[in-house]
Amino acid sequence: MHQNIGFRLSRLPRLWRAILDRRLAPLGLTQTRWITLYHLWRLEKGQPQCDLARAIGVEAPSLVRTLDQLAEQGLIERCPCDQDRRTKRVYLTPAATPLLEQIDAIVTQARQEMLAGLSEADIHQLDTLLEHIENNGIAIQARESRS
């Protein structure tokens, strides 16, 4: 039984993203674009590009193309950082708000469907357990990167 946990943990994010990709496709959004917009919306305003890349889990150079596309669509703007002119901060534009509200409604519906049949207590326990597993993983990474 324990042998299946790793497979489930790796399969679940792919399943979640596949469901969201299919539902967000009519909005003309690729996975990279909706994930970037959604993170920008959930994080504090004016994210440095490198921090945004870290939050999403990609390398900063990989994010540049997506940000270029989102800027061309008028959904974000990049401004130089006051403290460090080499750093760019990323801001959502007002034009992004209606799209983000649509994304949020789709994500909320998908989440409700994925968690159907679980009580609030089950969901809280699941969140606690996943956080514990994630923290164990972070500790393992930190330990292994020091060696």
Side-chain angles (χ1 to χ4, degrees):
M1 180 168 149
H2 296 303
Q3 296 161 336
N4 290 332
I5 291 173
F7 290 118
R8 286 178 197 261
L9 286 173
S10 66
R11 231 182 10 243
L12 195 53
R14 285 194 304 271
L15 178 60
W16 172 248
R17 283 188 174 171
I19 290 167
L20 291 179
D21 283 347
R22 189 171 50 257
R23 292 180 181 194
L24 292 169
L27 300 179
L29 294 171
T30 64
Q31 185 177 102
T32 308
R33 287 184 197 175
W34 70 257
I35 288 173
T36 301
L37 286 171
Y38 205 70
H39 273 81
L40 275 170
W41 197 34
R42 295 293 177 211
L43 297 169
E44 71 180 52
K45 300 200 182 328
Q47 278 297 304
Q49 241 173 252
C50 56
D51 291 355
L52 178 60
R54 223 179 341 271
I56 294 170
V58 299
E59 295 295 323
S62 302
L63 185 60
V64 171
R65 182 169 169 240
T66 300
L67 293 176
D68 287 343
Q69 293 165 342
L70 292 171
E72 286 172 19
Q73 288 179 276
L75 300 173
I76 64 145
E77 58 183 22
R78 288 179 276 195
C79 303
C81 178
D82 292 338
Q83 295 81 15
D84 182 355
R85 304 284 283 157
R86 296 168 298 172
T87 301
K88 298 276 190 210
R89 291 192 174 272
V90 184
Y91 295 87
L92 291 168
T93 65
T97 302
L99 182 60
L100 283 161
E101 289 169 351
Q102 287 181 285
I103 293 170
D104 192 49
I106 291 167
V107 169
T108 298
Q109 178 66 34
R111 183 183 311 111
Q112 288 171 348
E113 291 176 42
M114 289 285 289
L115 298 175
L118 298 177
S119 69
E120 284 300 316
D122 291 337
I123 294 168
H124 178 73
Q125 183 178 18
L126 174 62
D127 188 51
T128 301
L129 293 170
L130 289 172
E131 180 182 22
H132 185 89
I133 293 167
E134 182 179 23
N135 288 337
N136 286 345
I138 291 168
I140 291 167
Q141 269 190 327
R143 221 176 24 249
E144 290 178 353
S145 70
R146 286 190 303 259
S147 20

